[in-house]
Amino acid sequence: MAQRIALHPILGVPEKGRPVKFTFDGKTLEGYEGEPIAVALKANGVMVHRYTKKGHQPRGIFCAIGRCTDCVMVVDGEPNIRTCITPLKEGMKVETQYGVSPLPFEEQGCPSGKKGDGDETV
Amino acid sequence: MNQVNDRSRDIGEFVPRPDDDMVICRCEEVTKGEIRKAVHEGMWTVTEVRRYLRTGMGLCQGQTCGKLVKGIIASELGIPQSELEPATSRVPMRPIEMKVFAKEAKEADGNG
Amino acid sequence: MKRYDLIVVGAGPSGLSAAVEAAKRGMRVVVFDENEKPGGQLFKQIHKFFGSKEHKARIRGFRIGQQLLKEASDVGVTVILSATVIGMYQDKELVVRIGDEIHHVKGDSILIATGASENMVPFEGWTLPGVIGAGAAQTMINLHGILPGKRVLMLGTGNVGLVVSFQLLQCGCEMAALVDAAPKIGGYGVHASKLARTGVPFYLSHTIKKVEGTDHVTGVTIAQVDSKYQFIPGTEKHFDVDTVCVAVGLSPMSQLLKMAGCKMVDDPKKGGQVPVCDERGQTSIPGVFAAGDVAGIEEASSAMIEGRMAGVAAAEYLGFMEEAACSREEDELTKDLDCLRQGMFAPKNKGKKIDKTEEGIPLSNTLLTKGYLADDEVEAFPGFTHRVGVHPVIECTQNIPCNPCQDVCPKECISIGDNLTALPVVVENAACIDCGMCVASCSGQAIFLVDEDKGDGTAEVTIPYEFLPLPEKGTEGYALGRDGRKLCPATVSRVRTAKAFDSTNLLSMRVPREFAMKARFFKSGNAADAAGEVAG
């Protein structure tokens, strides 16, 4: 589980919003209001934000500034939300994204991920 | 004529390499081998490879892979990277939902 | 459609600086930034900046950010946040997403100050959660107060890799190693030395072979590469880490300029695709300017000057100031900028092989490959002198434009002269009063106060210390050498903190006399337990 910094030698005590509850794949977790969703997830030990469409490979935080779009998840029912720059709000429903869906691949009818090779037709 | 436009130039056969499975375009999950193969199939520019394989056409619009894809194409063609045009830059520069893209703000002067 | 005299895209160091200059001259200025907070990367930079007073040297990046924001609000600059410019068209029209709407705005002049994006290098496992950009690490720790992991391996030894590694140490992460495919450390030697003396190893001519883990990083294997960057079999080394950080350079984020039709050029010395600009930052389209990293990768200090130059130039372009006044200001700013663009790390020297300082002293090879000065190499430099009584020992061995040490010493013990890149010299017969300002002000943490003989068989060494917990007076422990090895027992004799030191604490330790010129870091604990081991 990732550790929050209680006291920083240069920056002092990090400024945080009020504690709020949100759900991740149905589990209730706690984070601070206004911090990026990705940070709240990290503080709760969540590393995998999504599984890719073709290869079903796990992805998480990569650039943390909204550029790389690797950390996207389904938030309040909407897919492809960049969790590293989307502020956490009370009661948010955050779900792992499989392809572009919150449903695991088995439930989407594509159980095994094929690594993205051999796709020669366009 | 620069070397990219000289399509009669022989760049040899596609030779598989051990790292061909490595994903280069993280969004569209395009591998190094696919990009190298595309060059041998006649895609000699970043734009051609992009249309052919969708490299850089995913959510991030090539933020991460742009330079990498360019490097792979250049090395496959045996030319310096600077000879390749980077991919065309287009609106929108960041991921945006279509419903937002289509929603012009109403301005006082009506010239939104 | 709203119309402004100047539209700035990007509220980082260059964008804000330009907005300030333009607004000061009566222009109607708006700054758009896609982030929730202004300041660009400045608020993630917690180290003290290099340069001279004019460049805000020895001030920490985030404080410079605060100053700049205040300056902008004082002159009435409007900064619109969470405003993403998604396109730039002919006739200086911008399309901006604000909230859930699209706005079209027009500027009579436009400054693109969008900064840079991080380069990446692919390796087996690079898509696994736990592999992150160095910028991501910096964002997590300095903006959001969370550790990216417990144990980190850094790929890349440019200034970003070095500075972020130190920040990771400061907030409590362990650094397993710094790795670079290049044969030499790319960033400032002083930044590398801050890490090496705490015991962090450097592996040059090495790169990542494989990152291990099924759904997140559990380890990494590196291996040595030959001169053609091919792996040398049998040289693999494994590290148990949960985070791999990648810091392999930056690329200008110049897409908007390309989209608008500015003439572009691929310039490796500037980091990639950059607009062709005149000396004031104007692109091939009159009235469209570029400043900061988007026009060529450099430091934030130069970005701020470039921004000011572009702001002044935009004011002149639209008739808000006379050409003569503009020229005068531009000349001043050009001088400041030129000062920063000197020395061995100057953009013009990128890729050049340099093996001697300007003074003709051979560079330390150990510094370039392992991150520290070997005991026999450091003696050759002019800041390293032996004196009776307390005196500064300056382990600054590369020509970097920087002079706070000369500025802050009340007794003029340290001299750099007018040439900002000259190595600091300890002035003969000057009377050091042990105030510690030089130690606290050196942005490279390369100055130590040493009293080589306290008369009881010990010496006192004062080091800059920016970690927690801060040891108290009387704490027993051991001293580490420049190479991070445990040297000898040490006792903390004094700990000084002061507002003027700006969070750099001065820790003084007593060590046996023979280690006076070798002991450069302190760790608490029992020295006897692990004598001779590599610390950390």
Side-chain angles (χ1 to χ4, degrees):
Chain A
M1 196 162 292
Q3 212 180 316
R4 289 194 186 265
I5 300 169
L7 183 64
H8 188 282
I10 311 297
L11 298 167
V13 179
E15 267 177 53
K16 285 288 171 189
R18 66 178 176 112
V20 291
K21 289 193 163 44
F22 67 103
T23 64
F24 165 67
D25 287 348
K27 288 186 293 288
T28 301
L29 302 177
E30 205 169 271
Y32 292 104
E33 187 172 57
E35 71 181 359
I37 297 169
V39 171
L41 289 172
K42 182 129 187 99
N44 284 283
V46 176
M47 292 293 288
V48 179
H49 288 218
R50 67 180 181 112
Y51 291 90
T52 60
K53 197 175 170 195
K54 272 195 198 168
H56 298 190
Q57 297 299 305
R59 297 286 173 84
I61 300 173
F62 187 53
C63 82
I65 53 170
R67 302 267 161 77
C68 78
T69 67
D70 244 352
C71 68
V72 297
M73 299 178 87
V74 183
V75 177
D76 290 336
E78 259 195 74
N80 286 344
I81 300 296
R82 289 174 287 170
T83 55
C84 70
I85 54 160
T86 305
L88 183 70
K89 292 191 193 111
E90 174 87 61
M92 256 182 174
K93 187 180 170 198
V94 180
E95 294 169 281
T96 304
Q97 182 169 318
Y98 299 86
V100 288
S101 161
L103 293 177
F105 292 114
E106 296 75 34
E107 293 172 41
Q108 294 180 41
C110 45
S112 67
K114 60 176 159 67
K115 282 219 168 158
D117 67 343
D119 251 11
E120 298 197 15
T121 50
V122 180
Chain B
M1 179 159 35
N2 76 18
Q3 299 187 70
V4 176
N5 290 331
D6 178 11
R7 302 285 172 130
S8 64
R9 205 161 59 85
D10 183 11
I11 59 163
E13 285 296 299
F14 170 77
V15 183
R17 293 217 194 106
D19 61 353
D20 277 344
D21 273 348
M22 191 151 64
V23 167
I24 300 296
C25 169
R26 297 167 65 104
C27 297
E28 293 291 319
E29 299 176 77
V30 183
T31 64
K32 187 171 183 179
E34 289 175 284
I35 298 167
R36 290 181 48 241
K37 214 183 260 172
V39 175
H40 290 272
E41 284 162 6
M43 309 302 144
W44 283 24
T45 65
V46 175
T47 303
E48 284 166 340
V49 170
R50 176 154 91 163
R51 293 203 183 113
Y52 194 59
L53 296 174
R54 289 194 55 82
T55 45
M57 285 177 90
L59 264 189
C60 93
Q61 287 291 292
Q63 284 288 348
T64 310
C65 73
K67 242 187 174 171
L68 301 175
V69 173
K70 196 174 159 195
I72 294 169
I73 299 172
S75 113
E76 211 56 32
L77 290 173
I79 60 172
Q81 278 198 47
S82 52
E83 274 199 33
L84 282 176
E85 273 284 308
T88 314
S89 303
R90 272 198 196 87
V91 177
M93 292 295 305
R94 292 282 184 268
I96 181 169
E97 306 90 307
M98 289 310 290
K99 66 179 182 205
V100 176
F101 199 33
K103 192 172 171 199
E104 302 265 325
K106 294 253 186 310
E107 309 253 355
D109 60 6
N111 189 16
Chain C
M1 179 154 34
K2 274 197 184 146
R3 195 170 182 132
Y4 297 90
D5 295 326
L6 173 66
I7 299 177
V8 177
V9 185
S14 63
L16 285 176
S17 303
V20 165
E21 292 302 320
K24 265 201 244 170
R25 285 163 183 88
M27 292 172 82
R28 222 160 72 89
V29 185
V30 68
V31 185
F32 293 114
D33 195 292
E34 64 178 326
N35 299 292
E36 261 199 300
K37 287 181 185 158
Q41 306 307 305
L42 273 177
F43 284 91
K44 300 174 195 174
Q45 305 200 357
I46 60 169
H47 62 282
K48 294 177 177 174
F49 275 34
F50 290 74
S52 67
K53 238 188 268 161
E54 297 73 45
H55 312 119
K56 301 187 188 291
R58 82 183 178 91
I59 302 178
R60 296 185 191 274
F62 69 98
R63 293 199 210 285
I64 296 175
Q66 288 160 350
Q67 289 174 0
L68 206 47
L69 281 180
K70 181 169 183 305
E71 217 185 322
S73 90
D74 286 352
V75 294
V77 170
T78 312
V79 181
I80 302 183
L81 298 168
S82 302
T84 311
V85 174
I86 56 170
M88 175 159 160
Y89 294 98
Q90 277 179 343
D91 304 325
K92 307 191 184 75
E93 186 182 329
L94 293 176
V95 185
V96 194
R97 175 201 182 146
I98 303 172
D100 277 343
E101 286 182 332
I102 296 294
H103 296 251
H104 293 256
V105 289
K106 204 158 165 136
D108 289 335
S109 61
I110 287 181
L111 170 69
I112 302 297
T114 42
S117 60
E118 287 184 284
N119 292 342
M120 280 298 152
V121 56
F123 41 79
E124 193 179 337
W126 78 301
T127 59
L128 265 183
V131 177
I132 58 174
Q138 210 174 24
T139 306
M140 285 192 238
I141 55 186
N142 298 336
L143 286 193
H144 304 307
I146 192 154
L147 304 186
K150 284 197 175 73
R151 199 169 145 80
V152 186
L153 181 128
M154 176 69 70
L155 178 67
T157 62
N159 274 338
V160 174
L162 299 174
V163 166
V164 173
S165 295
F166 191 71
Q167 291 177 5
L168 285 162
L169 282 181
Q170 283 180 302
C171 68
C173 294
E174 256 182 78
M175 289 304 300
L178 278 93
V179 176
D180 202 313
K184 283 178 181 167
I185 290 171
Y188 294 174
V190 284
H191 280 320
S193 296
K194 290 191 296 185
L195 294 159
R197 71 174 77 112
T198 72
V200 180
F202 283 77
Y203 292 92
L204 276 290
S205 294
H206 277 72
T207 193
I208 293 177
K209 192 157 190 195
K210 184 182 179 186
V211 168
E212 295 125 23
T214 49
D215 67 359
H216 63 271
V217 175
T218 54
V220 56
T221 300
I222 65 167
Q224 202 179 334
V225 291
D226 60 22
S227 58
K228 288 179 179 144
Y229 297 106
Q230 300 301 308
F231 287 115
I232 302 173
T235 59
E236 290 82 3
K237 285 173 198 73
H238 173 88
F239 298 87
D240 286 327
V241 295
D242 58 7
T243 305
V244 171
C245 246
V246 183
V248 293
L250 301 168
S251 290
M253 212 154 43
S254 56
Q255 293 94 330
L256 283 173
L257 292 157
K258 186 170 153 71
M259 186 185 297
C262 295
K263 191 163 180 250
M264 307 294 287
V265 63
D266 201 319
D267 185 345
K269 286 197 175 185
K270 293 184 170 180
Q273 278 277 318
V274 289
V276 177
C277 288
D278 68 13
E279 63 283 356
R280 295 175 180 183
Q282 185 164 245
T283 66
S284 62
I285 303 177
V288 174
F289 299 83
D293 276 353
V294 73
I297 306 298
E298 273 182 81
E299 303 288 326
S301 327
S302 26
M304 287 186 280
I305 303 175
E306 281 181 23
R308 291 195 190 269
M309 293 175 88
V312 170
E316 196 271 332
Y317 169 76
L318 291 178
F320 283 83
M321 71 190 294
E322 301 283 328
E323 165 60 31
C326 172
S327 289
R328 270 199 307 277
E329 298 228 10
E330 295 286 359
D331 287 349
E332 276 303 304
L333 290 165
T334 307
K335 240 188 272 166
D336 283 349
L337 190 56
D338 281 347
C339 275
L340 281 181
R341 287 182 174 160
Q342 304 304 320
M344 32 183 80
F345 294 89
K348 62 182 174 195
N349 286 329
K350 214 172 167 184
K352 248 191 221 164
K353 198 172 175 290
I354 296 174
D355 43 27
K356 277 195 176 107
T357 70
E358 288 166 14
E359 293 80 0
I361 307 166
L363 288 180
S364 156
N365 200 47
T366 323
L367 181 68
L368 292 171
T369 53
K370 292 180 177 153
Y372 58 87
L373 295 155
D375 293 340
D376 57 338
E377 292 169 329
V378 67
E379 299 270 355
F381 293 92
F384 192 92
T385 52
H386 298 271
R387 295 283 155 86
V388 176
V390 63
H391 61 92
V393 173
I394 310 177
E395 303 187 355
C396 175
T397 66
Q398 293 172 323
N399 301 109
I400 295 170
C402 187
N403 70 357
C405 53
Q406 169 178 266
D407 265 12
V408 297
C409 179
K411 292 292 176 187
E412 295 177 352
C413 297
I414 301 171
S415 164
I416 287 177
D418 293 332
N419 174 15
L420 216 51
T421 58
L423 296 181
V425 174
V426 176
V427 177
E428 200 126 4
N429 300 324
C432 173
I433 52 165
D434 193 30
C435 70
M437 279 307 288
C438 55
V439 179
S441 304
C442 174
S443 309
Q445 300 194 3
I447 306 184
F448 307 86
L449 285 171
V450 181
D451 189 337
E452 295 176 53
D453 186 1
K454 293 298 279 186
D456 58 357
T458 69
E460 188 179 65
V461 180
T462 301
I463 62 170
Y465 196 87
E466 293 187 351
F467 299 95
L468 288 176
L470 183 61
E472 286 171 14
K473 182 180 171 177
T475 306
E476 303 279 341
Y478 48 90
L480 288 79
R482 297 181 185 87
D483 58 0
R485 278 172 200 277
K486 292 181 183 180
L487 273 185
C488 57
T491 309
V492 176
S493 49
R494 279 186 296 169
V495 178
R496 286 180 273 174
T497 45
K499 196 152 188 254
F501 298 163
D502 190 9
S503 306
T504 307
N505 307 292
L506 304 194
L507 185 147
S508 304
M509 58 183 172
R510 290 292 189 96
V511 294
R513 258 184 68 187
E514 61 270 33
F515 295 109
M517 291 312 225
K518 291 180 176 168
R520 290 298 177 261
F521 197 64
F522 173 84
K523 282 192 181 178
S524 57
N526 190 342
D529 279 353
E533 257 181 49
V534 176

